[in-house]
């Protein structure tokens, strides 16, 4: 049986509050909205009206979840600490808030055996209304000829200061017709700005200027910037310097290429 959008909010409300307190945002959508824009190879194999939720991390995730996570647990040496923290936070909240639901959870960093990502995070963010996904196809007569240009999501309040962390699919929940798709706010409207955005993201992503393409309410703190600016292979050492890891833990830290 399909549930109304009010019941969707009733179902996910506690989860939303719990994750917001930890620096995350959540946005519900129907699997069919996602599949409608993707080539079949990327489809999620659930009925079109199945309820899904995409989880974003906002700048405060670093202080509200990541630092407390490092204080309370010993990171496993071989996995990226940020990935471990989002997986820990999201999966704990799922078990707590949905004890009797069957929920498939995928993370941004997870790949299928065919090396494709388990879900396309930017498409999910766009179709859920969370953040507009600007692609080369959003520019008329693009100036880059046949060059491949990666697309980028811009959030109306956070600009580019966020990441897309997880996808939840409620296998047994069908959302009713009153859960309506809303376009994400189009905050980079002119052709010139879109060209500038895609050039910043593709040619100068290391200077982070793409994140400031629109005025933002929140940005990463100095400590978070220091963490993400440190090459992944040296982050274990930085955490040890901050007093979070033991020598053995930091030696084991992987050199996975993770950014926020
Ligand atoms: C693989 C990957 C990379 C690869 C390849 C990038 C790519 N886009 O292919 C590399 C290593 C180069 C890379 C680099 C970076 N990445 Co990266 N990457 C990913 C990852 C894991 C998968 C992306 C992917 O394979 N896409 C597959 C291609 C085929 O998808 P696509 O181009 O979107 O094509 C689809 C759409 O066009 C769609 N479509 C067609 N028509 C329409 C119409 C509409 C309206 C819509 C919505 C969709 C749609 O159909 C196509 C498929 O059929 C994602 C996380 C994830 N799980 O999604 C992060 C991700 C895209 N990366 C991210 C970032 C930030 C980066 C970096 C800045 C480094 C960093 N981590 O800080 C750099 C910047 C890029 C650069 N200049 O190098 C962020 C982007 C956040 C944002 N605001 O958009 C993501 C989402 C990770 C995250 N956790 O937030 N990345």
């Amino acid at each position: 049986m399909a549930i109304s959008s009010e019941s969707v909010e009733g179902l996910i409300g506690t989860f939303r509050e719990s994750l917001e307190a930890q620096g995350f945002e959540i946005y519900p959508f129907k699997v069919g909205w996602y599949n409608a824009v993707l080539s079949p190879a990327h489809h999620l194999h659930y009925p079109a009206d199945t309820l899904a939720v995409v989880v974003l991390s906002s700048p405060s995730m670093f202080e509200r979840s990541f630092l407390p996570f490092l204080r309370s647990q010993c990171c496993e040496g071989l996995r990226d600490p940020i990935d471990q923290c989002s997986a820990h936070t999201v999966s704990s909240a799922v078990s707590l808030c949905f004890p009797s639901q069957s929920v498939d959870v995928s993370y941004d960093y997870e790949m299928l055996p065919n090396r494709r990502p388990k879900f396309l995070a930017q498409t999910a963010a766009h179709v859920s209304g969370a953040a507009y996904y600007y692609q080369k196809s959003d520019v008329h007569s693009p100036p880059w000829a046949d060059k491949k240009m990666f697309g980028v999501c811009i959030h109306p309040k956070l600009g580019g200061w966020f990441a897309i962390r997880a996808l939840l699919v409620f296998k047994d929940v069908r959302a009713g017709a009153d859960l309506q798709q809303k376009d994400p706010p189009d905050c980079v409207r002119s052709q010139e700005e879109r060209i500038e955005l895609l050039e910043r993201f593709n040619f100068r992503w290391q200077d982070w200027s793409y994140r400031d393409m629109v005025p933002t309410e929140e940005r990463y703190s100095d400590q978070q910037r220091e963490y993400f600016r440190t090459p992944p292979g040296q982050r274990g050492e930085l955490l040890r310097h901050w007093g979070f890891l033991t020598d053995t833990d930091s030696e084991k830290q992987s050199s996975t290429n993770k950014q926020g």
Side-chain angles (χ1 to χ4, degrees):
M1 201 192 76
I3 65 169
S4 66
S5 63
E6 206 176 307
S7 310
V8 167
E9 208 39 53
L11 175 70
I12 64 175
T14 317
F15 182 70
R16 186 194 295 286
E17 281 163 24
S18 159
L19 281 192
E20 278 179 2
Q22 299 179 82
F24 295 84
E25 296 183 351
I26 69 161
Y27 297 84
F29 64 98
K30 291 182 191 174
V31 165
W33 304 347
Y34 174 95
N35 287 345
V37 294
L38 289 174
S39 48
H42 291 283
H43 282 187
L44 293 169
H45 298 288
Y46 304 91
D49 52 0
T50 308
L51 178 67
V53 164
V54 63
V55 180
L56 315 187
S57 58
S58 72
S60 65
M61 176 264 204
F62 193 81
E63 281 74 24
R64 293 189 188 183
S65 288
F66 187 57
L67 299 181
F69 172 76
L70 292 171
R71 275 183 213 113
S72 67
Q73 336 245 324
C74 183
C75 271
E76 281 171 42
L78 290 174
R79 285 179 55 214
D80 178 90
I82 290 276
D83 288 348
Q84 286 184 57
C85 171
S86 13
H88 170 81
T89 312
V90 171
S91 69
S92 309
V94 166
S95 322
L96 208 68
C97 301
F98 310 117
S100 55
Q101 294 287 345
S102 180
V103 188
D104 286 341
V105 186
S106 314
Y107 296 98
D108 61 319
Y109 55 84
E110 288 185 316
M111 299 290 153
L112 294 164
N114 62 15
R115 305 298 304 147
R116 288 212 170 96
K118 276 202 171 172
F119 75 102
L120 297 187
Q122 295 161 305
T123 293
H126 184 102
V127 300
S128 68
Y132 201 109
Y133 183 29
Y134 293 97
Q135 307 185 71
K136 189 175 172 181
S137 53
D138 291 306
V139 175
H140 315 308
S141 340
W144 315 289
D146 292 335
K147 190 176 167 24
K148 165 89 189 149
M149 294 291 279
F150 299 132
V152 56
C153 286
I154 294 294
H155 184 291
K157 294 190 175 143
L158 303 173
W161 298 96
F162 71 102
I164 306 153
R165 299 293 180 187
L167 172 78
L168 274 52
V169 179
F170 293 81
K171 288 204 290 195
D172 304 323
V173 180
R174 307 279 171 262
D178 67 334
L179 183 65
Q180 291 282 325
Q181 185 166 10
K182 277 194 290 206
D183 285 336
D186 177 4
C187 39
V188 185
R189 299 189 73 92
S190 75
Q191 291 296 306
E192 295 71 30
E193 284 176 317
R194 289 179 182 186
I195 291 169
E196 176 65 23
L197 171 65
L198 290 177
E199 293 194 341
R200 287 184 188 181
F201 188 69
N202 282 267
F203 308 144
R204 302 189 292 280
W205 63 270
Q206 292 95 335
D207 72 11
W208 290 359
S209 58
Y210 78 88
R211 298 189 193 258
D212 281 323
M213 202 59 215
V214 300
T216 55
E217 286 184 357
E218 255 185 278
R219 291 194 178 117
Y220 292 175
S221 62
D222 289 345
Q223 189 176 18
Q224 178 162 196
R225 286 172 199 234
E226 186 182 358
Y227 181 79
F228 284 124
R229 287 225 178 275
T230 302
Q234 292 165 30
R235 290 180 191 165
E237 175 55 26
L238 178 68
L239 293 179
R240 197 190 62 75
H241 175 70
W242 286 347
F244 289 118
L245 297 180
T246 64
D247 284 338
T248 346
D249 284 332
S250 67
E251 276 159 24
K252 283 189 289 180
Q253 282 301 313
S254 68
S255 55
T256 45
N257 181 14
K258 198 65 196 178
Q259 279 232 10

